[in-house]
Each structure stands twice: as C-alpha cells, then as structure tokens.
Amino acid sequence: QSFKLLGFLDVQSVPCARESVLYGSLGSLVVGLGHFLATSRVRRSCDFAVGGFICTMLGYWFYCRYNLAQQRIRQRMLKEGMKNKMLFEGSYLDPERKQTGNERNDS
C-alpha cells in the first residue's frame, strides 16, 4: 500500500522520504516534549514541535539524498570499470597483464 503525504508525495516510491518523515516525527516529539518540560507552555511547545519536525525532516532528507547521489556515482564508476575490464582483458592495454620486453618496444 502506498501512503501519500500532503496528497502528492508518495512516501514508498520516493527514496529517503519514509525515513525523513519518521526521523522528523521523532525530532518533533523530542523538541516539543523537551520544550514543554522546560517551560510548561503548551502553545509554544507545539510551535517548537512543528519547527523541530521541519528541521529534522529536511536535515535528514538532504543528508540521505547526498549519500544516495554518492552511492549512485560509485555504482556508475564501478560499472564503467567492469565494462573496461571486460573490454581490455587479455589485450596489451590490460593493466594487470605483465608486459614483456618485446611488447614494450612495439608500443
């Protein structure tokens, strides 16, 4: 089952959305409850809880998306390296192949 946040953000299909919402709600609870225990002001604590939710959710969203982008770059580099390995394997361009003296002079 899919869950749509605000009617348009499908939390299951968008990477990092589920974790961001979960961490945001936890941050909201911690900040709101902490502020309430410190000041005993209900309305102000709710305001802090909303701010804590937004800050925590956006902070984790950017952190997660940055790590996801880095992972995709590493995967792309690995895929390209594997393709080059298969392409050059056994040829004189293979970096793992030991070159003899005759092959070095020919190049």
Side-chain angles (χ1 to χ4, degrees), residues 17-97:
R18 180 179 178 268
E19 292 85 4
S20 296
V21 170
L22 289 175
Y23 281 120
S25 60
L26 181 65
S28 168
L29 180 71
V30 169
V31 170
L33 189 61
H35 190 270
F36 176 74
L37 291 175
T39 63
S40 297
R41 297 176 69 187
V42 177
R43 183 177 169 98
R44 185 99 168 146
S45 297
C46 290
D47 293 342
F48 269 79
V50 170
F53 174 76
I54 292 170
C55 290
T56 308
M57 187 180 75
L58 288 177
Y60 188 77
W61 172 268
F62 288 121
Y63 170 76
C64 184
R65 294 298 286 203
Y66 177 75
N67 285 338
L68 187 64
Q70 281 187 330
Q71 182 182 6
R72 286 183 179 163
I73 289 170
R74 284 192 301 267
Q75 285 176 344
R76 192 173 27 231
M77 287 173 53
L78 185 61
K79 185 177 178 182
E80 186 70 25
M82 289 172 64
K83 186 177 80 169
N84 287 341
K85 169 87 170 141
M86 290 188 321
L87 185 65
F88 296 129
E89 190 172 30
S91 71
Y92 71 94
L93 295 172
D94 188 4
E96 292 181 5
R97 184 174 173 202

